[in-house]
Structures are given as structure tokens and as C-alpha cells.
Amino acid sequence: MKIFIFKRSHIILSAAVLIFAVFSLSAMFTSVETSSQTKELPIYSVERNDKKIAVTFDSAWGDEDIDEIIAALSEASCPATFFVTGEWAEKYPESLKKLYDAGHEIASHSYNHTLYSSFTREEIKADMDKCDTAIKNAIGISPTLVRAPSGDYTNDFVLAAKETNRYPIQWDVDSLDWKELDENAMKERIFDRVASGSILLFHTGTEQTAAALPGILSALSAEGDEFVTVSDLIYKDNYYLD
């Protein structure tokens, strides 16, 4: 039988090499796992320099201000994009038809505003289909744009949208109108953030939005901004998200 005798320094060196190898291997697998969990992103805004911006509304509450909002948008020559829930479309089909007949773009905002973070990808697809059916029953068209309830998007939401040929839309300028800010407070937030290619967020069924819109839209026009729908703002092909 052979007996091997090692110096202490050799043992320490060997142990260090072993520990280094274990950590390197662990880091390699961690890196592989992380790369497979790439964060999927919706479209927040668009890189362009022509001063075009998109005004959008989320409709999940009431419809009492729809006529006033339509009038303000018409006065400002502002075609807007309305992200409506399926339940809203079913509850207020006449208001939805008014928006569509006034030339505004209609998009999907889930069926009943349940956060998509609680859904699987297949459940999200089914929910988007349910919302689209409600919209189609009211105005005869199916949307191609979708926004997650409360902007609470997940990888599954973004992938579900892409896999069903929908465009997932977020925003980069939030008016915070749902917090009942007055016109001046909303203007300050908007003008601190708006840029060419921005997507602005408002809501229907709030206390202040309809009354604040004329002043906000007029001020944006005075700055040279041009209003377009989200579909006319975004790139449909050969684009990437940064």
C-alpha cells in the first residue's frame, strides 16, 4: 500500500482551486438561467423627431364624461386611442360607438381589469379574446393594440400579445388624472416628460380630465406637437426595443 504525504501548502492550494472551480461553475449556470429569463417589454414610446405624440385613455370606469372628452379632442383636432375593457364595452356600447364614429382608435384593456400578473399566458390570451369579442359586438372591429390592466405587465402578457399578433402598449407620460389633479398639476407633469414619440395616459370617468383637456391639448399644440393615434405613432416592422 502506498502512503501519500502532502504538504499543508499543497492542501490549501488544492482547496482554493476546488472552491474557485465550484464558484465558476455556479456562476456559469446562474448566467445561463438569467439569460433565459429576459425581460419582455411593451412599447412605452417611439424614437422619432417629428413632434408626433399619441394621446391615450383607459376606459374601465364610467362614461359620464365621454361627450365632453370627444368635444375637447375634436376642438384640438386630436385623434386619440381608447383602451377599453370588455365590461365597459358591454355596459356602454353607445359611448363606445360615439368614440369610434368620432374617428378615435379603439384598443383592448382586458375584459374586467383583473391584473394579468395573476394569469397564465393562455389565460391572458383567452381574456384578450373575450375583451375583443365585446368590442366587436359593439362596433364591428377587433383591436390590434392591447394594454395590461393598471399597466401591470409581465413577460407572459407581452409574449401573449406578440404570439396573437397584438401590439402591447404602455406609456411614458402619465397625467395622474385618476388622482384628481387639477389642470395645472397635470400640465406640469406632462410638460416635464413629453417628447417626440411620447404616449400620454389619461382616463375616462374621472373628476378632472374632461375639464383639463382643452387647456392641456392647446398648450401641447402651441409647442408644435402633432396628435396621432398609437397605431400611426408606432413602428410595425423592423424595430427593436431599447
Side-chain angles (χ1 to χ4, degrees), residues 9 12 17 22 25 28 36 38 48 53-54 58 68 77 80 98 107 111 124 128 135 155 158 165 168 173 207 211 216:
S9 59
I12 293 173
V17 171
V22 169
L25 198 58
M28 182 183 72
S36 67
T38 301
R48 53 194 308 156
I53 62 174
D58 285 355
E68 196 175 349
S77 299
K98 284 181 182 179
Y111 179 72
I124 292 171
M128 291 190 296
I135 292 171
N155 277 13
V158 177
N165 297 314
V173 181
E207 291 290 331
I216 292 172

Side-chain angles (χ1 to χ4, degrees), residues 124-197:
I124 292 171
K125 291 178 182 179
D127 188 80
M128 291 190 296
D129 287 343
K130 188 175 182 181
C131 177
D132 288 359
T133 296
I135 292 171
K136 187 171 184 179
N137 287 341
I139 59 175
I141 62 101
S142 294
T144 58
L145 308 180
V146 60
R147 175 175 283 163
S150 299
D152 182 40
Y153 69 87
T154 62
N155 277 13
D156 278 332
F157 161 68
V158 177
L159 292 172
K162 291 178 179 178
E163 289 168 3
T164 55
N165 297 314
R166 296 174 168 101
Y167 294 91
I169 306 298
Q170 198 79 342
W171 62 85
D172 66 322
V173 181
D174 189 348
S175 68
L176 290 186
D177 57 348
W178 58 274
K179 287 190 173 183
E180 300 184 8
L181 300 184
D182 62 20
E183 179 182 329
N184 288 332
M186 279 190 254
K187 272 184 182 177
E188 183 176 350
R189 282 190 54 82
I190 290 167
F191 278 87
D192 280 347
R193 295 164 174 79
V194 70
S196 183

Side-chain angles (χ1 to χ4, degrees), residues 43-140:
I43 299 170
Y44 279 83
S45 61
V46 180
E47 184 178 10
R48 53 194 308 156
N49 55 15
D50 54 9
K51 296 285 284 181
K52 290 182 178 179
I53 62 174
V55 173
T56 73
F57 294 82
D58 285 355
S59 297
W61 303 325
D63 76 330
E64 61 275 10
D65 54 356
I66 289 299
D67 288 340
E68 196 175 349
I69 287 174
I70 290 174
L73 293 171
S74 176
E75 179 67 23
S77 299
C78 175
T81 301
F82 287 80
F83 291 85
V84 307
T85 66
E87 283 190 341
W88 195 90
E90 291 172 345
K91 190 173 182 179
Y92 307 113
E94 291 306 313
S95 289
L96 181 58
K97 191 170 186 303
K98 284 181 182 179
L99 291 171
Y100 183 64
D101 288 346
H104 301 296
E105 181 174 38
I106 308 302
S108 170
H109 194 39
S110 81
Y111 179 72
N112 62 6
H113 215 259
T114 301
L115 297 184
Y116 277 161
S117 55
S118 64
F119 285 12
T120 66
R121 193 182 307 178
E122 293 308 311
E123 288 172 337
I124 292 171
K125 291 178 182 179
D127 188 80
M128 291 190 296
D129 287 343
K130 188 175 182 181
C131 177
D132 288 359
T133 296
I135 292 171
K136 187 171 184 179
N137 287 341
I139 59 175

